[in-house]
Amino acid sequence: MTQQGAVLQGYNNELVKCIEDLCMQKEELNKQIQQAEEEKNKLQHEIQVLSEQLECVCENLAQKVASRNELDKILAETEAAYMKILDSSRTLLNVLKKEVGSLKHSSDLKTN
């Protein structure tokens, strides 16, 4: 019976050792889980910060694009008006040259 008791004691010791090993593995896994959760939370916070920054940049960009589009429109209208002024100036110059030519021609006829 003593031999059976010794065998049983040996099994018990091995069982306790296995349980202790499992507990140590569990503690190590718990540490890894906690580190992973901390890393996840850190990354989620960074994503939130970056998302907010991206939203601000997108809003700023949209405002700048709208301003540029408005400036493009104003510039096109101004250039068109300037071309009309140039055309009117050319027409006025041509009319003036004709009038001066007519006056000169009329003046030459009267003197002859």
Side-chain angles (χ1 to χ4, degrees), residues 20-31:
E20 287 174 353
D21 288 346
L22 288 174
C23 285
M24 288 176 36
Q25 286 178 6
K26 178 185 171 187
E27 286 178 34
E28 180 61 31
L29 193 56
N30 279 338
K31 286 179 188 176

Side-chain angles (χ1 to χ4, degrees), residues 61-112:
L61 178 61
Q63 290 173 352
K64 287 181 179 183
V65 167
S67 293
R68 183 192 61 195
N69 292 342
E70 185 64 25
L71 286 174
D72 284 344
K73 179 183 171 188
I74 291 169
L75 185 59
E77 290 172 355
T78 303
E79 287 175 343
Y82 183 68
M83 293 307 290
K84 287 181 182 179
I85 291 170
L86 287 177
D87 191 42
S88 295
S89 295
R90 185 174 6 98
T91 303
L92 179 60
L93 181 60
N94 289 337
V95 168
L96 185 59
K97 283 180 181 180
K98 275 185 184 179
E99 291 295 324
V100 168
S102 293
L103 284 176
K104 198 174 189 185
H105 181 67
S106 177
S107 158
D108 287 344
L109 290 176
K110 287 182 183 178
T111 55
N112 285 340

Side-chain angles (χ1 to χ4, degrees), residues 51-67:
S51 293
E52 290 170 3
Q53 289 176 349
L54 178 62
E55 185 177 339
C56 288
V57 168
C58 287
E59 287 174 7
N60 190 303
L61 178 61
Q63 290 173 352
K64 287 181 179 183
V65 167
S67 293

